Amino acid sequence: MKALVILTFLALAGASNVTIMSHWSGGFQGQACIPISKELDGWKAHLKFSEDVERLEVWAATATKLNGREYLLVNKDYDAQQHVGTDLCFGFMGYGSGDVVPETTIYIEGMDGPYGDGGTSQQTTPVPHTNGGTPSKNYEDALAKSILFYDAQRSGKLPANNPIKWRGDSAVNDCVPGGWYDAGDHVKFGLPLASSTTLLLWGFVSFKDGYVKAGQLDAMYDMIKWPLDYYLRGWNPQTKQLIAQVGDGNVDHKFWGRPEDMTMARPCQWISATNKGSDIAGETAASLALGAIAFKEKDPQYSAQLLTAAESIYAFAKANRGVFAGASQFYSSARDIDELCEASMWLYRATNNKQYLDEAKTYVEVAWGWALSWEDKKVSCQLLLYEDTQNSSYKDAVVGFLHGWLPGGSTVYTPCGLAWRDMWGANRYAGNTALYALLTAEAGISARTYRVWAIEQINYMLGDNKHAGGCFSFQIGYGSKYPLQPHHRAASCPDRPAPCSHDQLNAPGPSPQVLVGALVGGPEASDLYDDLRTDYVHNEVATDYNSGFQGALAGIVHLILTDNFPATQNKCPCSAS
């Protein structure tokens, strides 16, 4: 197979090299930058490879194939002007046969300087391999199972290919049907739903090859389209109203039964100019922008629809600042700048419009983060901005955040090695940070250290612990030992048409339905864990619990595929896979 290269335009500041960030059998990923040494009102760049490249796609330029190894890139109208002191940068990914690291050069016609005509072009500098380890878990299987959990959370009329046979149509008369139920309940909360979608998509677009290798590409597209369609239905660009929540948390939590059997009122809350919610709107815009990137090749028309909605919702959020107060008892947010920063960065990557990048810089905080969660995403924006600007202040914030999570930092560790940040969803926080660490490694920062740490965290969740005699997976359905009583209403119910009530909450024994793929909250700091349905602190499941965990699984499959899986050392290893 000849090489296929996909380029996205990035406006970096201060970068001065061409780097292959990673490579594997069948492809490579890298960045190339040109310092601008003269004022340009229009430009033509030549990108040359030492290997044949069959096709080149560039969002920010028109590409013409000159020969098998050279492409002419002509600017678009909006990026025609380039100024002295800035850098013109391209991120690229190539696919071909074999494990190759092609030498790559780039120059702009008529521009003097080290990257111009007659100058000395920088050669690629590959990031060192981090191989040497042997995988001890079936990460592809865990990835496939995680997708099934999200399918079990679907609300609305289910498709004919529904893989969860104990689930049926539910809440079809909601003001906005579809979307995912939040956790073991049946409310559709706007902020955690959008946050989960964003994190899932970030892992997807970053480690798409992991999904391909696991045979889950189509399943992932199918799964992630469910919330994206919900956002499209829930946004009215004419009236400027966005769905924020469906269901009353207090009323819903008094009901224990199947979503298919609900009869209580399911009120809707909307974000508008008078009912603020720029935190939810910003995060929804981020999800839609990422969705546009994810579906650009698969379904260009759908991608364009997502991008249009993302831009209009972001503009609405900017014009109507204020956090949503309607879910404060369950999900309260302190600010909106982290969501707006995420949205502006993903819109920048989807459109290559520098205005979004400039706006992101006004929202970003460089303080060290405590956790990456549904409520606080400032660390996400720090990493995104570092990748696209190479600014050291953003890198320092990224490294500072992860320093607080690694041994010797501020995070408590369980005896078997889980980075335990909080009792409520300990696995969730560690899983999110594992994905973040893998993404940071891809950016060329302490690759071996962060990859080792991330894998060890996921290994703990998949069995490297001593619970129940060892080899206990906190992901339901993985391995032979896993939670049997998750705090989840639908899973606790017997097959229909048998009745389901509060009796099932306290019923002994395993839940009648296996909630395959769900990641439960996790242990105490002592590694103590009780598998009890009534324990909604440690045995809760939720869409945001799986989001970073799933992305980390795809990232680890990517490391195996690219021969970058490092040696790890877990304190309580399990030899079973």
Side-chain angles (χ1 to χ4, degrees):
M1 179 180 65
K2 293 183 178 179
L4 163 67
V5 175
I6 303 170
L7 270 84
T8 56
F9 181 87
L10 305 172
L12 305 183
S16 60
N17 63 353
V18 182
T19 303
I20 294 296
M21 308 300 294
S22 61
H23 58 96
W24 57 93
S25 180
F28 57 90
Q29 180 179 0
Q31 290 183 345
C33 294
I34 315 169
I36 302 301
S37 60
K38 64 181 292 185
E39 293 295 308
L40 298 176
D41 187 11
W43 49 267
K44 295 181 179 179
H46 290 251
L47 189 65
K48 297 182 178 181
F49 299 94
S50 62
E51 306 287 337
D52 285 343
V53 175
E54 185 177 75
R55 185 165 62 94
L56 187 67
E57 294 186 2
V58 189
W59 290 6
T62 300
T64 302
K65 187 174 184 179
L66 300 180
N67 57 58
R69 300 185 180 186
E70 182 178 358
Y71 286 81
L72 174 66
L73 310 179
V74 180
N75 65 274
K76 297 287 189 179
D77 289 342
Y78 65 84
D79 60 11
Q81 293 187 347
Q82 299 292 324
H83 304 291
V84 174
T86 63
D87 292 346
L88 177 61
C89 298
F90 301 93
F92 58 90
M93 185 177 292
Y95 295 98
S97 58
D99 188 353
V100 297
V101 186
E103 292 185 353
T104 307
T105 60
I106 187 168
Y107 69 89
I108 290 180
E109 290 183 4
M111 190 179 75
D112 296 328
Y115 293 81
D117 290 338
T120 303
S121 297
Q122 288 283 335
Q123 304 297 316
T124 55
T125 307
V127 174
H129 270 312
T130 59
N131 56 5
T134 302
S136 62
K137 304 289 182 285
N138 189 338
Y139 305 105
E140 295 181 21
D141 181 53
L143 177 61
K145 285 178 165 59
S146 183
I147 292 174
L148 291 176
F149 163 67
Y150 286 99
D151 290 338
Q153 294 300 104
R154 283 172 167 173
S155 176
K157 182 174 178 58
L158 301 185
N161 67 348
N162 169 39
I164 313 300
K165 300 309 178 184
W166 48 272
R167 280 298 324 283
D169 298 345
S170 63
V172 294
N173 295 318
D174 279 353
C175 62
V176 181
W180 290 326
Y181 296 124
D182 176 57
D185 57 1
H186 306 129
V187 183
K188 294 185 287 194
F189 290 107
L191 190 56
L193 195 156
S195 300
S196 301
T197 308
T198 299
L199 204 55
L200 283 162
L201 281 164
W202 193 4
F204 180 41
V205 301
S206 300
F207 302 118
K208 184 177 178 180
D209 57 344
Y211 284 90
V212 174
K213 176 64 170 61
Q216 298 301 313
L217 184 62
D218 290 340
M220 179 57 180
Y221 273 123
D222 184 62
M223 179 269 274
I224 204 64
K225 195 173 184 292
W226 202 259
L228 294 174
D229 286 347
Y230 172 75
Y231 304 144
L232 292 177
R233 287 191 291 267
W235 167 240
N236 187 324
Q238 284 74 44
T239 63
K240 298 295 190 293
Q241 290 181 300
L242 175 68
I243 190 64
Q245 182 175 319
V246 181
D248 183 316
N250 290 309
V251 174
D252 180 273
H253 290 179
K254 292 177 182 178
F255 169 78
W256 192 276
R258 306 180 187 90
E260 295 83 358
D261 299 338
M262 291 187 295
T263 59
M264 79 284 277
R266 289 178 59 78
C268 290
Q269 296 190 59
W270 298 85
I271 298 167
S272 65
T274 55
N275 189 34
K276 308 296 185 183
S278 51
D279 50 345
I280 295 176
E283 193 64 29
T284 303
S287 292
L288 289 165
L290 257 167
I293 295 171
F295 280 90
K296 183 173 177 64
E297 292 184 16
K298 181 177 177 62
D299 190 339
Q301 184 175 358
Y302 182 62
S303 173
Q305 185 182 9
L306 295 173
L307 184 55
T308 298
E311 291 195 284
S312 61
I313 292 173
Y314 174 71
F316 163 75
K318 287 196 303 176
N320 298 276
R321 299 286 296 276
V323 299
F324 181 68
S328 58
Q329 182 179 349
F330 305 97
Y331 291 100
S332 61
S333 179
R335 57 183 66 190
D336 64 356
I337 57 174
D338 51 333
E339 287 86 9
L340 291 174
C341 192
E342 269 195 318
S344 55
M345 282 305 301
W346 287 117
L347 281 167
Y348 169 60
R349 293 191 176 191
T351 66
N352 305 302
N353 184 341
K354 289 185 179 180
Q355 178 182 339
Y356 290 124
L357 178 63
D358 293 338
E359 291 177 358
K361 293 175 183 178
T362 70
Y363 297 129
V364 69
E365 300 175 274
V366 293
W368 294 5
W370 182 81
L372 172 57
S373 70
W374 60 264
E375 195 276 332
D376 190 352
K377 302 99 177 177
K378 65 173 169 283
V379 297
S380 295
C381 205
Q382 291 164 356
L383 179 56
L384 293 170
L385 271 164
Y386 170 68
E387 290 175 340
D388 286 9
T389 69
Q390 301 293 291
N391 186 298
S392 62
S393 66
Y394 305 137
K395 178 180 179 180
D396 291 345
V398 169
V399 172
F401 168 63
L402 288 173
H403 175 77
W405 274 83
L406 267 63
S410 59
T411 305
V412 172
Y413 276 74
T414 71
C416 282
L418 178 70
W420 193 92
R421 200 48 143 168
D422 189 77
M423 72 174 182
W424 206 301
N427 286 335
R428 169 258 312 270
Y429 289 117
N432 288 356
T433 310
L435 171 59
Y436 190 86
L438 292 173
L439 292 167
T440 302
E442 291 296 306
I445 303 174
S446 302
R448 182 173 294 276
T449 297
Y450 292 154
R451 286 170 175 171
V452 167
W453 182 87
I455 294 168
E456 289 175 352
Q457 293 304 301
I458 298 302
N459 283 352
Y460 176 97
M461 298 176 207
L462 293 179
D464 282 358
N465 56 71
K466 292 185 177 180
H467 182 70
C471 299
F472 180 87
S473 168
F474 287 95
Q475 184 191 35
I476 299 172
Y478 179 88
S480 60
K481 291 188 285 187
Y482 48 80
L484 302 175
Q485 291 193 19
H487 185 81
H488 191 273
R489 288 160 174 76
S492 75
C493 296
D495 291 340
R496 290 173 288 170
C500 185
S501 67
H502 264 92
D503 292 342
Q504 272 65 49
L505 172 61
N506 297 293
S511 292
Q513 316 301 339
V514 180
L515 190 62
V516 173
L519 181 72
V520 300
E524 293 278 6
S526 63
D527 274 329
L528 180 66
Y529 166 78
D530 289 326
D531 183 10
L532 293 174
R533 193 177 300 112
T534 53
D535 186 352
Y536 51 80
V537 175
H538 301 97
N539 237 26
E540 179 73 285
V541 298
T543 58
D544 72 300
Y545 282 22
N546 269 69
S547 57
F549 170 74
Q550 179 170 313
L553 290 168
I556 296 172
V557 176
H558 162 79
L559 294 181
I560 297 171
L561 179 65
T562 61
D563 191 27
N564 276 297
F565 190 92
T568 60
Q569 293 183 345
N570 287 70
K571 294 183 178 179
C572 305
C574 168
S575 58
S577 59

